[in-house]
Amino acid sequence: MTDNLSILETALAIRPHFSQLLDIEAGEQMRQQLDQLLQQVQAGESVEDSILELLTDERATGTWVTEFQQANATQKGFDPLAGNISKISAPRFKCPLCDYTWSRDRIGRPTPLCRTHNVPLEPA
């Protein structure tokens, strides 16, 4: 589990590297979104999960974040689990009445209702 301070530290560390990790347009867009989220943090809002989602949304930045956090954890005296870290498939759910689908991206996140029909989603 990543703590809030580690997420903020990672966000500030990766910001100068967007132009190397992403194309110019995507890097600028991510920088703007990150700046907005960091302003929300300064205003006292808890948006660390949104920051982590933003930074791990692209493959290149997700890899950078993982490596940065592993390096920091090792420097702090904690060795992460051995082996390659890769994304796993997320359980998918669908509305029985339409084509709306939703993927659970975190363990413990409750399955929402269909946005259109307000009925429980079923495993896809």
Side-chain angles (χ1 to χ4, degrees):
M1 176 178 273
T2 306
D3 64 19
N4 292 347
L5 184 59
S6 176
I7 293 170
L8 295 175
E9 181 181 25
T10 302
L12 294 173
I14 194 174
R15 192 177 178 286
H17 300 282
F18 287 149
S19 61
Q20 297 163 344
L21 298 169
L22 304 168
D23 64 53
I24 295 170
E25 186 177 319
E28 185 56 35
Q29 183 179 7
M30 186 172 285
R31 182 178 291 111
Q32 289 173 0
Q33 291 174 330
L34 179 59
D35 288 348
Q36 289 174 346
L37 290 169
L38 291 172
Q39 286 175 354
Q40 290 176 290
V41 169
Q42 287 180 331
E45 296 179 41
S46 180
V47 294
E48 288 81 1
D49 287 343
S50 297
I51 291 173
L52 190 57
E53 285 180 23
L54 172 68
L55 296 179
T56 57
D57 193 38
E58 295 288 335
R59 182 182 206 106
T61 55
T63 300
W64 193 99
V65 165
T66 300
E67 291 173 358
F68 179 83
Q69 290 182 341
Q70 285 178 344
N72 276 358
T74 302
Q75 289 174 0
K76 294 176 183 174
F78 172 79
D79 289 326
L81 296 174
N84 285 336
I85 295 177
S86 61
K87 292 185 178 187
I88 59 170
S89 62
R92 296 184 58 81
F93 297 84
K94 66 178 189 72
C95 175
L97 304 175
C98 68
D99 62 352
Y100 175 71
T101 60
W102 176 83
S103 297
R104 178 173 289 133
D105 60 351
R106 292 197 186 114
I107 294 174
R109 181 170 284 190
T111 306
L113 300 176
C114 173
R115 296 176 184 177
T116 306
H117 300 103
N118 205 31
V119 296
L121 299 179
E122 299 174 347

